[in-house]
Amino acid sequence: NLPASLLRYWEKEFPTIKPKKSGNNVRMYTKEDLEEIRLVNDLVKVRNMKLAAARELIQRNRAGAKSSNDLLLRLQTVREQLIAIKQELDGIN
């Protein structure tokens, strides 16, 4: 759900995002590209880090940044599940 212009900009700023291009210059993102985009999005949009700081963190501590992002995604999933359970329990009363 990110604008194409933002993705293109991040491709320039983060060399690890390298989508392949088809004959019509349509970008084809791999699973690894999408994981990298999620990581950058978490650092820049969610945590409000500057691009340079996010790039440095990824270069210095990729494993730590990635595991932190994975944890956030898992917590969001658990939250959604808890909300669904609460709605079901509210419907029983």
Side-chain angles (χ1 to χ4, degrees):
N1 296 330
L2 297 171
S5 59
L6 180 62
L7 291 173
R8 283 189 215 103
Y9 180 69
W10 283 354
E11 288 171 23
K12 293 176 188 172
E13 294 294 320
F14 296 90
T16 52
I17 302 173
K18 303 176 219 169
K20 305 236 183 304
K21 294 182 184 176
S22 70
N24 297 335
N25 271 344
V26 174
R27 286 170 168 76
M28 314 258 299
Y29 293 96
T30 63
K31 182 179 178 184
E32 290 78 21
D33 290 328
L34 295 177
E35 288 176 8
E36 192 71 17
I37 290 168
R38 283 188 192 103
L39 177 59
V40 170
N41 187 61
D42 175 55
L43 295 174
V44 174
K45 296 289 186 179
V46 176
R47 299 183 193 190
N48 295 318
M49 291 181 89
K50 303 269 186 212
L51 289 178
R55 189 173 33 249
E56 183 179 329
L57 177 64
I58 290 172
Q59 289 173 350
R60 269 188 307 127
N61 188 9
R62 170 170 294 287
K66 181 167 176 8
S67 67
S68 175
N69 187 50
D70 291 345
L71 178 61
L72 178 64
L73 291 174
R74 277 189 250 137
L75 288 172
Q76 288 171 340
T77 302
V78 169
R79 182 177 189 272
E80 291 168 2
Q81 291 172 343
L82 288 172
I83 289 171
I85 291 170
K86 183 183 181 305
Q87 289 172 345
E88 286 182 31
L89 290 173
D90 289 345
I92 292 174
N93 294 331

